[in-house]
Amino acid sequence: MCGIMGYVGPRPASPIIMQGLKRLEYRGYDSAGIAVAADGVIQIRKAAGKLDRLVEAMAASEPSGAIGIGHTRWATHGPPTDANAHPHADTTEKFAIVHNGIIENFFELKEELLAAGREFTSDTDTEVLVHLISDEYDGDLAEAVRRAVKRATGAYALVAVAAEQPDTIVAVRMISPLVIGFGEGETFLASGIPALLDHTRDVLVMEDGELAIITAEGITLEKLDGTPVDRQHMKVDWDVEQAEKGGYPHFMLKEIFEQPRVVADSLLGRLDGTDVILEGVAWGPAFEQSIEKIWITACGTAFHAGLAGKEMFEGLLRIPTEAVYAHELRYRDPIVEPNSLTLAISQSGETADTLAGARLLHERGSRLLAITNVVGSALTHYSDDVIYTRAGLEISVASTKAYTAMLVAQYLLALRLGQSRGVLDEARARKVAAALEALPGQVESLLKREEGIDEMARFLASKLADENDIYFIGRGLDYAVATEGSLKLKEISYLHSEAMPAGELKHGTLALITEGTPVIVVNTQAHVYDKTVSALQEVKARGASVIAVAYDDDTEIEHYTDHVLRIPRTLDLLSPVLSIVPLQLLAYHVADARGLEIDQPRNLAKSVTVE
Ligand code: M6R
């Protein structure tokens, strides 16, 4: 989710690259850098912090030359420091690269390169690639890149320059986006169309597994195996603002639609059969076997992800688990048992309440695991272990993709603990791992399905937009999802909504259900399916208008509901990753139908860094 800009042509490259990076900066980044090749030398400037820090570094000495690459970083491996900022050069400083995405096997490659005497100057996964390119180079940069990427696995966009070939940029796309822009005698390259629009509207979008050899005159496009590719350019008629949102009207919608990639990235390199590799988790098997209690602390959406975690850890692992709002926890006097593990969950890693709650449990002897989206965030500084969620930058205040990534992180943890504690036998572990692997495709098919989940959500939203009170119900994991569905709706639509366990209705809230009251039910958990149906019958008998979220193959649910939002069948344990998607879309479309400011709802901030 970083930004890339490249230029080759007759003009000075530095200002063009900086302008492109500026265009990509709306996403907010943690470091930036630029490499320009001229006279057999590659000049690199880079700086941690916002782009302004790089601008300052450039003011002191701007690299001159007519070919270059630049990068804005959203850290995934290694904290945001000057050394970890891209571009990265090899030891000879004859090659420089920028890279988006993740190199799954970087650890093994790094070991190999270290053993061969290569020196590393950063903690990034990226740096292995530039050493590989340098090793493979015999006068042809494209061949060196081709051979280097054959050795790497993962999802990435890679862009390279060589001091000895100051007329060529080589780019490879493997899942992470890359777009080439064509000018008069000059060629541009970027990770997103907004960076190109100051120069050209004549673009070509690279596809996965393609390599482009880019010169001022144009490009040669090939498959990684060398097969030529012939693809039409396209004319972009978006304005810059539309382009920043990838053509979506709001960042929230864009981020909802990014979830297939987010789930895939969150799993990338972390599942090897049933083995779970968590790169930031330092504890050993002895600790895993000793855990007697899990604490989960967080706020808002992150807390709702933790509620799902609680169900999962207790249900699957049989470990007593307590999920506590961090703002409550910090003023309690918690009894922290020995051998406890705390999960502090926070997209930003900066939420003041979460930091305080997590610290308290840590000080009282619990091991602290941060689950966060921001590398090097405050939470990671005093955590013992970290799982990064890899959702990429989330701009909309209403959190969507970060939530699904938090769920995936907890599933991975549960799968690992289940095996090491002997509560998940191999067959069951295989089933869970296979279902996890299938999730990215299922989220994608849900968002893209013919009958249109988005259209269905928009249609139902038009019915809900003028309501005053909306109730969300479910049991167990479905209740956890209901809490998040309700929060999404209220924070951007300003409608009153409440979530409760389905069994709780009859203890009071049922008094509020009258003719036409909207009730949204999540019903995916087989062991309590009939019990939730009973609650549905109770609200139906009072005239409620019921919308259900249920599996595709559930033929019973429509007997008790007015409308059904369908999701693909998965293990009940994993259903939250799918069942939340229609609720996110529903919230979005209700707010849209009410004409509200969706990405920045009133009174709310993306990160609540004060008490
Ligand atoms: O950055 P964090 O995950 O710690 O933020 C916690 C909450 O403030 C956050 O999830 C908030 O509830 C979202 N805006 C909800 O969409």
Side-chain angles (χ1 to χ4, degrees):
M1 297 301 288
C2 312
I4 289 178
M5 179 73 188
Y7 173 79
V8 52
R11 295 191 276 161
S14 288
I16 295 171
I17 293 169
M18 291 304 286
Q19 187 180 14
L21 296 183
K22 190 89 201 142
R23 282 285 185 213
L24 296 169
E25 206 202 7
Y26 67 95
R27 305 161 60 94
Y29 289 93
D30 55 39
S31 47
I34 181 169
V36 174
D39 306 324
V41 173
I42 294 180
Q43 310 150 69
I44 295 183
R45 308 280 181 276
K46 49 192 194 173
K50 287 192 182 294
L51 198 57
D52 287 347
R53 291 246 4 256
L54 180 62
V55 173
E56 283 163 25
M58 300 275 287
S61 69
E62 180 172 293
S64 66
I67 181 168
I69 54 179
H71 189 263
T72 50
R73 178 168 187 248
W74 175 256
T76 54
H77 286 83
T81 58
D82 288 359
N84 288 338
H86 299 211
H88 290 285
D90 71 313
T91 325
T92 66
E93 299 189 356
K94 293 286 181 197
F95 304 89
I97 62 165
V98 295
H99 156 241
N100 287 355
I102 294 157
I103 305 301
E104 273 185 276
N105 59 338
F106 93 97
F107 192 72
E108 298 93 89
L109 291 171
K110 188 168 179 176
E111 297 279 289
E112 207 180 292
L113 288 158
L114 283 169
R118 287 284 177 176
E119 280 171 27
F120 279 73
T121 55
S122 78
D123 315 312
T124 64
D125 53 341
T126 304
E127 198 183 337
V128 296
L129 289 173
V130 74
H131 293 300
L132 289 178
I133 291 169
S134 162
D135 276 357
E136 299 286 354
Y137 187 75
D138 57 10
D140 182 343
L141 180 61
E143 267 315 305
V145 170
R146 200 191 306 281
R147 287 199 285 262
V149 296
K150 268 197 191 137
R151 300 182 57 194
T153 57
Y156 52 84
L158 168 69
V159 181
V161 286
E164 288 175 15
Q165 277 183 253
D167 57 353
T168 308
I169 298 174
V170 176
V172 176
R173 174 181 175 161
M174 193 62 82
I175 300 182
S176 300
L178 275 179
V179 191
I180 297 164
F182 302 90
E184 291 291 321
E186 55 187 359
T187 312
F188 308 84
L189 167 80
S191 53
I193 290 173
L196 302 177
L197 294 182
D198 293 308
H199 309 286
T200 182
R201 283 168 188 271
D202 178 10
V203 308
L204 178 144
V205 180
M206 288 181 71
E207 290 185 2
D208 291 346
E210 289 179 352
L211 178 145
I213 303 164
I214 303 165
T215 64
E217 287 70 45
I219 65 163
T220 306
L221 190 63
E222 301 171 350
K223 293 261 176 223
L224 272 175
D225 64 6
T227 318
V229 175
D230 186 16
R231 172 145 351 96
Q232 294 286 312
H233 298 187
M234 65 182 224
K235 291 273 175 243
V236 178
D237 54 9
W238 299 342
D239 61 27
V240 171
E241 202 198 316
Q242 275 176 309
E244 285 174 347
K245 292 175 184 154
Y248 290 97
H250 298 96
F251 284 111
M252 181 181 176
L253 195 60
K254 177 173 182 256
E255 287 161 4
I256 291 172
F257 275 83
E258 278 172 5
Q259 289 177 112
R261 187 201 52 72
V262 167
V263 176
D265 279 359
S266 301
L267 292 170
L268 200 70
R270 288 174 167 171
L271 259 184
D272 183 5
T274 56
D275 286 349
V276 179
I277 302 121
L278 297 172
E279 61 279 9
V281 167
W283 66 56
F287 174 73
E288 296 190 345
Q289 282 144 26
S290 74
I291 301 169
E292 285 170 19
K293 161 115 188 213
I294 295 178
W295 290 86
I296 298 176
T297 193
C299 303
T301 289
F303 179 73
H304 297 152
L307 281 181
K310 172 186 158 60
E311 289 294 322
M312 185 198 317
F313 295 124
E314 285 195 336
L316 199 67
L317 305 181
R318 311 300 302 147
I319 302 179
T321 304
E322 195 170 342
V324 198
Y325 280 120
H327 38 83
E328 285 291 306
L329 178 67
R330 66 185 295 186
Y331 297 113
R332 272 171 51 177
D333 185 10
I335 302 159
V336 181
E337 305 79 352
N339 301 327
S340 68
L341 170 66
T342 295
L343 274 53
I345 309 178
S346 172
Q347 187 283 131
S348 62
E350 305 288 340
T351 299
D353 286 325
T354 305
L355 297 182
R359 257 186 143 135
L360 178 62
L361 295 177
H362 195 226
E363 280 161 13
R364 295 195 177 191
S366 175
R367 186 157 185 136
L368 180 58
L369 166 68
I371 297 182
T372 181
N373 198 32
V374 181
V375 174
S377 55
L379 183 60
T380 64
H381 290 310
Y382 46 81
S383 297
D384 303 301
D385 312 278
V386 185
I387 303 178
Y388 287 116
T389 50
R390 299 179 181 166
L393 188 81
E394 194 176 60
I395 293 178
S396 170
V397 167
S399 186
T400 53
K401 60 177 181 168
Y403 170 80
T404 45
M406 288 164 183
L407 292 177
V408 174
Q410 292 179 96
Y411 287 129
L412 288 168
L413 182 62
L415 179 57
R416 173 149 151 181
L417 293 181
Q419 292 176 90
S420 63
R421 293 170 68 87
V423 293
L424 267 186
D425 62 26
E426 210 192 313
R428 177 103 169 107
R430 265 205 308 271
K431 228 171 150 184
V432 174
L436 272 171
E437 301 268 27
L439 275 178
Q442 289 185 305
V443 181
E444 177 144 28
S445 76
L446 172 61
L447 285 164
K448 285 191 178 157
R449 53 179 43 187
E450 294 261 304
E451 60 275 31
I453 191 76
D454 192 35
E455 285 70 28
M456 180 71 173
R458 189 181 311 144
F459 163 72
L460 294 175
S462 66
K463 294 178 170 297
L464 295 176
D466 296 323
E467 294 292 343
N468 292 317
D469 307 292
I470 300 178
Y471 298 92
F472 286 75
I473 59 170
R475 284 174 193 264
L477 277 170
D478 288 335
Y479 165 63
V481 172
T483 60
E484 176 57 8
S486 169
L487 176 64
K488 277 304 78 87
L489 183 72
K490 75 176 86 161
E491 71 179 323
I492 57 169
S493 74
Y494 314 150
L495 294 180
H496 167 247
S497 88
E498 265 182 68
M500 73 202 66
E504 182 63 15
L505 271 173
K506 58 185 176 296
H507 298 288
T509 310
L510 201 55
L512 298 173
I513 308 294
T514 57
E515 197 57 37
T517 306
V519 174
I520 297 173
V521 61
V522 187
N523 203 5
T524 67
Q525 303 295 300
H527 70 294
V528 282
Y529 183 91
D530 291 341
K531 297 288 164 201
T532 301
V533 164
S534 304
L536 282 186
Q537 285 170 322
E538 283 166 12
V539 294
K540 259 319 230 178
R542 273 84 188 169
S545 169
V546 178
I547 298 170
V549 178
Y551 288 128
D552 281 332
D553 56 5
D554 177 348
T555 49
E556 203 186 320
I557 195 80
E558 53 217 24
H559 302 312
Y560 315 105
T561 56
D562 298 281
H563 303 280
V564 187
L565 290 158
R566 298 282 182 180
I567 59 166
R569 163 70 66 179
T570 182
L571 295 182
D572 287 358
L573 177 74
L574 304 187
S575 68
V577 173
L578 296 162
S579 56
I580 192 58
V581 174
L583 299 182
Q584 293 168 340
L585 288 168
L586 193 65
Y588 171 82
H589 286 298
V590 171
D592 197 33
R594 288 165 64 81
L596 297 169
E597 175 47 75
I598 293 180
D599 287 329
Q600 285 165 328
R602 71 184 177 209
N603 308 339
L604 299 180
K606 183 69 187 158
S607 304
V608 186
T609 53
V610 291
E611 218 191 320

